[in-house]
Amino acid sequence: MIRTATPADVPAIHAMVRELADYEKALDEANATEEQLREALFGERPAAYAHIAVSDEDGEVVGFALWFLNFSTWRGVHGIYLEDLYVRPERRGGGHGKALLTELARICTERGYGRLEWSVLDWNAPSIAFYESLGARPQEEWTVYRLTDGALEELAGK
């Protein structure tokens, strides 16, 4: 079962964000607090949205998708950028990841959004195979750039 996240889900989402960061070998970079996630998802001006995968068998939260809107100047419409998709390792293979992506695809088509996109680490072969099995294709002509920490502050003149 897939449902929209509620404030009561924030502790589970936070725990899974940390599990994902550990899997991606970047736990030391995952500094977001539960309060920051709560504000981002449920504050006065939400910056992101989340859906939860719940086990049909025991009602346990087993995964999540956290996303936000982007905008394509070429298409003239919004799209969804999927920041995180995570299903707990012991629950993988049960269709939860596909169900989460299916829900986001449904939102895109229902609202007239033109794209559903995300990033995946080059070494994450199981995820790449899963995404490609759904029809997703890598955008190999694009390279992601990022400014953080000191470089971001330096460019900002601080």
Side-chain angles (χ1 to χ4, degrees), residues 75-110:
R75 291 183 172 231
V77 295
H78 283 292
I80 286 178
Y81 186 84
L82 175 60
E83 178 66 20
D84 287 331
L85 174 71
Y86 182 75
V87 175
R88 291 196 154 127
E90 67 275 11
R91 300 301 186 117
R92 292 181 186 153
H96 304 294
K98 182 176 182 181
L100 286 162
L101 285 171
T102 298
E103 177 62 10
L104 297 186
R106 185 194 65 73
I107 291 169
C108 282
T109 58
E110 183 178 275

Side-chain angles (χ1 to χ4, degrees), residues 4-38:
T4 302
T6 68
D9 294 314
V10 170
I13 293 169
H14 184 258
M16 289 185 287
V17 165
R18 296 197 49 81
E19 291 169 24
L20 175 60
D22 189 40
Y23 173 76
E24 292 183 349
K25 302 175 178 97
L27 184 57
D28 60 323
E29 296 176 39
N31 299 317
T33 66
E34 285 186 25
E35 187 52 42
Q36 286 173 312
L37 285 174
R38 185 173 287 103

Side-chain angles (χ1 to χ4, degrees), residues 124-145:
N124 194 344
S127 292
I128 292 168
F130 168 64
Y131 298 143
E132 289 184 354
S133 77
L134 299 176
R137 296 294 170 251
Q139 301 299 296
E140 295 174 355
E141 66 274 17
W142 293 91
T143 301
V144 175
Y145 281 83

Side-chain angles (χ1 to χ4, degrees), residues 59-70:
E60 184 179 332
V61 173
V62 298
F64 78 105
L66 193 144
W67 56 277
F68 55 88
L69 293 179
N70 57 17

